[in-house]
Amino acid sequence: MVSVSDVPGAQGLNKGQLRELYYKMFLARSVGERERMLNRMGKGPFAVTGEGHEAAQVGTAYAMTPGKDWALTYYRDIGVALTLGMTPQDLLLAHLARAESIESGGRNMPSHFSSVDLRIVSGSAPVATQVPHAVGIALASKMRGLDEVAVAYFGDGAASVGVVHESMNLAGVHKLAVIFVCENNQYAISVPASKQAAITDLSIRAQGYGFPGVTVDGNDVLTVYSAAKEAVKRARAGDGPTFIEAKTYRLVPHTSDDDDRRYRSREEVEEWEKNGPLVRFRTWLEGNGVASKGEIDEIEATATAEIDAATEYAEAAPTPDPATAMRHVFVEEE
Amino acid sequence: MAEKTMVEAIRDALSEEMRRDERVFVLGEDVGGGGVFRATDGLRDEFGEERCMDTPLAEAAIVGAAIGASINGLLPVAEIQFADFIHPAFDQIVSEAARLHYRSNGAWSCPITVRTPYGAGIHGGPYHSQSIEAFYAHVPGLKVICVASPYDAKGLLKSAIRDPNPVVFLEHKKAYRLFREEVPDDDYTIPIGAAETKREGLDMTLVTYGLMTRYSLEAAEEVQGDGGVSVEVIDLRTVSPWDKEHVLESVRKTGKALIVYEDNISGGFGAEVAATIAEDAFEFLDGPVTRIASPDVPLAPYSGILEEHILPNAEKIAAGIRKLAAF
């Protein structure tokens, strides 16, 4: 029997790891779908999800060391959060604004991921504001002599924001251990990539900051993982930042308050769906003998059961006590 | 104990805190060479260029990187060269630093200090003169300090650096070298949020902060001499959170309140003080709560003649005191 690591394109991952990648991708897809469903049922007031981004998110996060490396996510990064160790239950508690949500206890919108233990830093909603935080975290790592890596995630719309330039420039000057991951899904809400930038590959901007930039097929999880692994290796070795642009496609509206039929055709969405990251990886897994159809069905059933249990738990969990609304404006000193 | 200028006192606070705690570091534009006001002079020589770090000219990244460094265990002191140039970092301060702790239900915190010279009176024109305290005092989660004296500057800057919350630390640039006063060489701190009565009086409470404290004290001396009006002058020192009880206690005693600030009058921080006095000490008042501040023009015109016309000074404050005293 052929060892899986001998399979061309497996990027050195073993069978268990490859199946785990698929599991995380399917989990991310399904949590997104579940949140949008709960929103339509009137249970969660808002949903922002990332169906279609699974390869870009899971592939990059899988190259990180959870709890050691830092993730500065944005509101689409369900796959990043789940890969680093947040659970569907964490995300659904946040979606339903429950008191015990580790993201925010019902203070922040859902999909504003946060876990101190996993070093997923609480995020905000203005785009790109988290990017300089990755640079500052990496600066502190360097000053403290630690080999941690900070990964800043943002979208193609956020790539236009000035602070991204400021951040990349500063990271380049000090050769900091930062990885800039742009999940380019080709739309900033309704504005297409052609109106966002005059260049096709945003990664060429890295040249201007003195570090490498790569544009990868963001719907191919193993290609994404390979680029991220290389970037992590460079960063840990002290060789500085990398800009990874993962070209992908958002298969769902921007948020539960958006109707994407206003700005793109159903045919376009269906075309991307046919070649979406889950379909492609599943085909690859089956084709290379990593998992049979039955085994993949089993992985999916396990994920679905986990989400069902998480939904049930989150729905039953208590809502925040209004008496706590005034707490934590400032650090409460002992 | 030596007599020091405010800029020397600030330099002492920075170097003492950097010696005391290796997590403290300074970053900003030109800070390595000592900064345009020389507030960081000598720090690079003593602590090296990493802990006194020259940054690219990019305010949002300066504050954003400071936030990140604070998340990863350091205590950054970011310098924004002039308060007028802090606006590109507004998003970082307001959306991020101020909200991180609350939005994460207390899980994350952001112990940064953002120092910046503010205020007019030095022919700085519209872009080296602004008062920005009201923008930030409006935002829950931030502490905002305004200093204009050497002793207060050192003690409050030390408190700001040690505070576990984000602090906007505003240094009145005209006060950097305006006068000297005795500043202890030893370590001392002044609590954030504590006002100080700089002059006791019976007839009127004058609430102020920043450089206007000095002018208000001059005016209070003048009116005491010529008309016998006894004015109590309170320097808030911290505008957020501000020392309401200290002010209210004085107003309950004097029955009159005059609020003096350099910023534009409309929506300036003094408006908040006035509203609080009107709400919480109404039955003690025997005159209208009154404000003296700059009119609503961009601060400040470059021409000395125009600038002097606009800004409050001791003479204008004295006139305001007399008017309110006669009520």
Side-chain angles (χ1 to χ4, degrees):
Chain A
M1 197 179 148
V2 187
S3 156
V4 170
S5 49
D6 296 336
V7 175
Q11 308 299 339
L13 296 172
N14 65 35
K15 197 169 177 172
Q17 291 170 317
L18 291 163
R19 288 176 175 188
E20 190 183 12
L21 274 182
Y22 185 77
Y23 177 71
K24 296 287 187 185
M25 289 169 70
F26 185 81
L27 201 61
R29 170 71 57 99
S30 308
V31 167
E33 287 171 347
R34 181 62 53 92
E35 289 193 34
R36 286 189 299 115
M37 186 181 88
L38 290 168
N39 170 259
R40 284 193 303 271
M41 291 166 74
K43 293 184 173 175
F46 179 73
V48 55
T49 62
E51 289 93 313
H53 287 230
E54 294 86 1
Q57 295 172 356
V58 176
T60 48
Y62 204 69
M64 297 166 66
T65 305
K68 170 176 178 166
D69 297 328
W70 299 78
L72 289 297
T73 61
Y74 77 115
Y75 47 72
R76 223 169 284 294
D77 285 326
I78 290 176
V80 176
L82 292 172
T83 303
L84 292 176
M86 289 185 77
T87 64
Q89 185 171 304
D90 293 334
L91 271 53
L92 290 164
L93 284 165
H95 175 71
L96 297 173
R98 295 307 199 240
E100 67 187 87
S101 155
I102 61 162
E103 280 184 19
S104 79
R107 286 152 189 255
N108 225 349
M109 275 183 150
S111 296
H112 288 54
F113 314 100
S114 172
S115 164
V116 172
D117 292 343
L118 298 169
R119 294 193 161 176
I120 299 170
V121 181
S122 164
S124 63
V127 299
T129 50
Q130 75 281 12
V131 179
H133 304 170
V135 177
I137 285 170
L139 177 66
S141 296
K142 187 181 179 193
M143 289 170 74
R144 298 173 62 193
L146 305 168
D147 69 343
E148 308 157 353
V149 177
V151 184
Y153 288 91
F154 53 95
D156 45 300
S160 298
V161 178
V163 79
V164 174
H165 159 70
E166 294 188 15
S167 302
M168 289 188 177
N169 186 48
L170 180 57
V173 168
H174 293 280
K175 286 184 82 166
L176 299 175
V178 184
I179 302 170
F180 299 95
V181 177
C182 177
E183 298 171 34
N184 184 348
N185 67 21
Q186 308 177 56
Y187 286 90
I189 305 188
S190 69
V191 178
S194 60
K195 298 267 173 63
Q196 200 66 239
I199 51 174
T200 310
D201 292 340
L202 301 178
S203 67
I204 65 168
R205 290 179 184 162
Q207 259 187 51
Y209 306 113
F211 53 79
V214 288
T215 293
V216 297
D217 178 350
N219 280 356
D220 177 353
V221 69
L222 293 172
T223 299
V224 173
Y225 171 70
S226 167
K229 196 170 76 164
E230 178 62 26
V232 168
K233 196 170 134 199
R234 267 178 52 79
R236 254 199 250 296
D239 294 332
T242 303
F243 181 7
I244 299 172
E245 179 195 19
K247 286 235 199 310
T248 182
Y249 192 84
R250 159 167 60 77
L251 296 170
V252 291
H254 165 61
T255 67
S256 52
D257 295 327
D258 176 40
D259 178 1
D260 66 334
R261 290 171 302 187
R262 290 185 301 116
Y263 52 81
R264 56 186 189 181
S265 70
R266 290 309 86 189
E267 292 71 32
E268 179 187 310
V269 178
E270 278 158 24
E271 197 54 41
W272 278 95
E273 199 143 24
K274 270 191 265 168
N275 283 303
L278 271 86
V279 180
R280 282 173 64 179
F281 193 42
R282 188 182 168 132
T283 307
W284 187 92
L285 291 170
E286 287 183 34
N288 287 281
V290 180
S292 67
K293 188 182 175 306
E295 285 167 330
I296 289 171
D297 288 347
E298 210 171 294
I299 291 171
E300 294 184 353
T302 308
T304 304
E306 192 178 343
I307 294 165
D308 286 344
T311 307
E312 200 175 320
Y313 181 89
E315 288 200 71
T319 52
D321 177 357
T324 63
M326 298 289 287
R327 288 193 64 196
H328 304 308
V329 176
F330 289 107
V331 173
E332 288 155 17
E333 307 195 48
E334 293 105 52
Chain B
M1 193 154 44
E3 294 224 318
K4 297 202 164 160
T5 62
M6 187 169 88
V7 77
E8 288 165 349
I10 286 165
R11 198 183 300 144
D12 286 353
L14 290 170
S15 58
E16 287 173 28
E17 289 306 295
M18 289 171 82
R19 260 173 241 137
R20 181 180 168 271
D21 189 337
E22 63 177 15
R23 296 173 300 169
V24 179
F25 78 107
V26 165
L27 72 163
E29 295 156 13
D30 298 295
V31 296
V36 297
F37 288 101
R38 320 302 303 156
T40 56
D41 208 16
L43 299 182
R44 184 169 63 187
D45 289 345
E46 184 176 349
F47 302 102
E49 60 179 23
E50 210 167 47
R51 287 184 71 198
C52 183
M53 180 185 284
D54 274 330
T55 63
L57 207 164
E59 286 79 11
I62 292 170
V63 176
I67 292 169
S70 80
I71 285 168
N72 196 4
L74 299 183
L75 298 174
V77 183
E79 178 177 305
I80 300 297
Q81 198 159 78
F82 284 86
D84 311 67
F85 308 153
I86 202 171
H87 308 314
F90 192 79
D91 201 10
Q92 286 296 324
I93 298 171
V94 173
S95 301
E96 298 297 331
R99 282 169 158 75
L100 177 61
H101 191 65
Y102 186 82
R103 78 179 182 221
S104 65
N105 206 18
W108 297 95
S109 59
C110 180
I112 64 167
T113 303
V114 181
R115 291 181 42 242
T116 189
Y118 82 107
I122 54 134
H123 314 298
Y127 302 103
H128 297 80
S129 304
Q130 295 172 28
S131 286
I132 60 160
E133 68 277 9
F135 298 143
Y136 296 102
H138 182 67
V139 179
L142 293 177
K143 297 188 177 182
V144 183
I145 295 168
C146 293
V147 294
S149 81
Y151 180 84
D152 287 348
K154 182 175 172 184
L156 278 161
L157 182 52
K158 281 170 170 270
S159 293
I161 293 170
R162 296 178 198 180
D163 197 281
N165 297 287
V167 180
V168 176
F169 192 85
L170 303 175
E171 302 161 3
H172 201 293
K173 66 177 81 71
K174 188 171 181 175
Y176 272 142
R177 293 176 177 79
L178 189 63
F179 63 99
R180 292 175 176 273
E181 70 183 7
E182 291 203 334
V183 178
D185 295 322
D186 305 340
D187 184 46
Y188 69 95
T189 57
I190 296 171
I192 295 173
E196 187 181 49
T197 300
K198 299 279 186 184
R199 183 187 195 279
E200 295 199 354
L202 297 166
D203 301 329
M204 183 183 302
T205 299
L206 189 158
V207 185
T208 188
Y209 56 91
L211 186 63
M212 290 301 134
T213 301
R214 187 172 177 82
Y215 298 157
S216 297
L217 287 167
E218 285 174 27
E221 286 304 316
E222 190 189 318
V223 296
Q224 178 90 60
D226 66 16
V229 184
S230 167
V231 181
E232 183 145 294
V233 177
I234 296 173
D235 181 354
L236 291 177
R237 302 192 294 194
T238 303
V239 296
S240 184
W242 68 286
D243 199 344
K244 289 179 193 169
E245 215 26 66
H246 190 107
V247 169
L248 291 170
E249 198 180 312
S250 173
V251 174
R252 288 185 199 116
K253 179 181 77 176
T254 65
K256 283 182 174 160
L258 180 68
I259 301 144
V260 181
Y261 53 105
E262 179 179 316
D263 197 2
N264 303 116
I265 191 160
S266 299
F269 188 72
E272 181 62 28
V273 178
T276 301
I277 293 169
E279 280 182 1
D280 295 345
F282 181 74
E283 63 270 41
F284 296 90
L285 291 170
D286 57 5
V289 180
T290 307
R291 291 177 291 163
I292 294 176
S294 294
D296 294 331
V297 300
L299 294 177
Y302 173 63
S303 149
I305 293 166
L306 298 176
E307 187 178 35
E308 185 60 24
H309 182 74
I310 297 292
L311 296 174
N313 55 27
E315 196 186 325
K316 293 177 194 176
I317 298 166
I321 294 170
R322 289 190 189 98
K323 192 175 165 195
L324 181 58
F327 188 86

